Amino acid sequence: MEAERRVLLIGNPNAGKSTLFNALTGSRTRVGNFPGITVDVASATLRGASADAPARVLDLPGTYSIAARSADERIAVEALSAPFLVGAKPSPHAVVLVVDATSLRRGLYLTLQVIDSALPCVVALTMMDEARSLGLVVDHEALSKALGCPVVPVVAPKGEGISDLVGAIQSALAANEAAPPTRFADSIEAGLETIGGDHGKDARTRRLLSQWAVLSSFDTSDDAAKHDWDALLERAKGHPTLGEELVCARYARVDEVLEGVLSGERKTAEPTRSLTSRIDSVLVHPVWGLLVFLLTMFIIFEALFAWVEPLTGLVEAGIEWAKAAAKASIPEGPFNELMTDGVIAGVGNVLVFDPQIAILFAFLTFLEDSGYLARVAFVIDRLMGKLGLNGRAFVPLLSGFACAIPAVLATRTLERKRDRLLVMLVVPLMSCSARLPVYVLVTSVAFDRDAKLLGFLSTGAVALFAMYVLSAVLALLAAFVIGKTVLPATPPTLVLELPRYRMPHLFHSAGVVFRKVAQFVRDAGTVILALTIVLWALLNYPRTDAQAETFSNLRAEAEQIDEEEAKTARLAEIDAEEAGDRLRNSYAGRLGHAIEPGIRPLGFDWKIGIGLIGSFAAREVFVSTLALVENSADTSEESESLHEMLRKSKHADGSPVYTPLAGVSLMVFFVVAAQCMSTVAIVRREAGSWKWAIFMVAYMTVAAYLFSLLCYQGGRLLGFT
Amino acid sequence: MSADERESSRVTLSELKPGDSARVKSIDDAGDRALRLRLLEMGLVPGTPIRIERRAPLGDPMEITVRGYALTIRRREAALIRIEAHGG
């Protein structure tokens, strides 16, 4: 709606923007696209606004300055600069500057920058209750006078000051006036004018863009989207000391403004006795901190495994129901199968992940919002630094042990695109929960249940544990290697604020999780659906009439059986045989045979080959594909009959397929190989192009082959079987 | 420059210990200008009082209080920040 005014929420990270957003808008949030902003942002209508002047509030990520240094900051800056982009249509109509009252001396820096922008501004002074408890006194009227725009103190979670704020926002929209900009010393102003040149039409806007250029002129990363501001950047390079002068001058103005406004600040010589500091002395403690961390991890993984099962079961049941319904209502034939095993199964592949993604994401969001993850990054930074990363990379990597999808999404906390990409490319090496069924199946088939290492450790369990250790080691190694070869760069620094601990707003967190999952379904959904259909075709075609005839004859015979139970059993048997036959003669089956010479050196046979082809879609497909190949009606990994059949399978020369060594080789393959369409789809989305997603699949596949080969052949040389 | 002034202009943030207070004097201009500007924008402008709260268990980075908030900074970057070793 053109008549709807757009109000941006801009402020430092941790200033309470999202809580304020909820207070201003209630719960009807929409995620969508806005001109000038390259990603979807959350927005909702302003509550309490009069019906004839509707306003939409946009919740933007935090930033410390108009010179954005991370992808998130860039979003906020893009939104702010929409009016300055040539050709961008609707621009924001007002800005609510969300400023934390307890860190005014830093927070006003961004405020002064945004006021320079000629947009009507209202300052929302948040965390007033915390300021009070710290003994800080803020004279908001004096502040308003000094800044030239309304200042409204609020305590968002309690709703204090909200109606005043809404009133101030509406007045600002109606008046459509901007506060006076900060005027600097002549030398600075002259420099800004030179840099601005004759860009654009509005002098005030030009001046702000010059400031942006001065602050950004040293940034060497190619992350920023290029507008037509390159000329300004070029000119800014000719004024190398202007940036420092500008920053110091603006902070001088901040201190000037706060004179007579802020009182009660702690002398820095006094030790910090705040609650946050006291909690930190435990959580950052080398012993206690580690214990708390391990406990937290344990709780998360436990919850994940415990809660995911029933939820995934629900989703799977739903899919089965949909399949049955489709099977019953669509006339028999290829279209029926396309819909059930292709489309519905494909959609199912996307949905079945959602419980896991949602739960893990919920935990990560909760820990992030509480302030804990910043401490984790702080503590582990030194180790991560040795790998060419910084502390922020730890949590995404660790999350990969549960599921790569939220882990890839968690890389958003990394500021530089290169670091985000690097971590995204290696996260799938961390053994996710989908690999576990494969490991469990393989160890129980390949290893003798009673075999022991060192007399008391079950060999199978040791092998299992070894796979997890291997995956972590490989991920770190890959990060190191890729970081030095394919994506070389100066290692990232760590400039990180440690926010005060706070209790995250549960509704808001739930909303964020829901939106993220919905986004995943949208983004990954189409890719996965397409790939599932292709795979289905490969696994089910071609079919011959001779085949169909043979089986219909067999069925006719079975119909002759008198006893109901025996008949049903025989029919089920025939179904399994037919499915197996189809699979073995399908393109995938032929491919399995074709690649057998290639995978023999890894200890695999053609049946495993087919399984591997199927598993590139999703790891769980391996087990069900293997079962199909073996004519097993029961395709679950716990199936005893499947275990038995696999144990008995032999190569052409009579030697058993699933020897312990072959088992280890197969598991190693699964540790390294990229076998998850969903991850590929999400990497494509986050990296912005297919190039990196394809690179990831390629390097992981090659590495999987080589490591498996090394394992099997190396093992043979050493005399293992 | 007096002996005292010379003395205090050689002390950098990396040499301080948890519990110490100081004021920022300047940030060295060597090398990474983007980083320097960023540290300034985070509030480490000359004259700003800071206090060292703690070091991470592995020794690096350190946590400092500046302008009412807590900032982590690695030893490498802290070595660029010259301070006056007097309290706020």
Side-chain angles (χ1 to χ4, degrees), chain A residues 595-668:
Chain A
I595 65 173
E596 195 183 16
I599 57 178
R600 204 55 190 87
L602 276 53
F604 306 160
D605 67 351
W606 64 274
K607 293 184 201 166
I608 295 180
I610 302 179
L612 290 181
I613 292 169
S615 70
F616 273 90
R619 294 171 177 107
E620 326 46 288
V621 176
F622 180 73
V623 176
S624 51
T625 314
L626 267 194
L628 277 178
V629 172
E630 300 285 355
N631 283 1
S632 169
D634 183 356
T635 58
S636 89
E637 62 264 5
E638 287 117 12
S639 146
E640 265 311 308
S641 60
L642 176 60
H643 285 208
E644 271 314 302
M645 284 192 238
L646 291 174
R647 275 191 206 109
K648 292 205 194 95
S649 51
K650 301 220 184 313
H651 290 294
D653 61 6
S655 60
V657 176
Y658 290 91
T659 62
L661 185 61
V664 171
S665 167
L666 183 57
M667 286 199 290
V668 166

Side-chain angles (χ1 to χ4, degrees), chain B residues 32-53:
Chain B
D32 198 340
R33 313 192 83 167
L35 174 66
R36 179 163 174 270
L37 206 50
R38 185 176 184 189
L39 291 173
L40 287 169
E41 285 204 285
M42 292 300 279
L44 292 168
V45 293
T48 303
I50 54 177
R51 187 195 136 87
I52 290 55
E53 297 296 331

Side-chain angles (χ1 to χ4, degrees), chain A residues 465-506:
Chain A
F465 182 66
M467 292 303 121
Y468 278 94
V469 172
L470 178 68
S471 76
V473 168
L474 283 180
L476 299 178
L477 187 65
F480 187 73
V481 170
I482 297 179
K484 289 246 181 281
T485 55
V486 179
L487 287 169
T490 54
T493 55
L494 186 73
V495 176
L496 172 69
E497 177 183 358
L498 295 176
R500 280 194 307 280
Y501 284 111
R502 62 184 55 129
M503 194 56 187
H505 200 224
L506 284 175

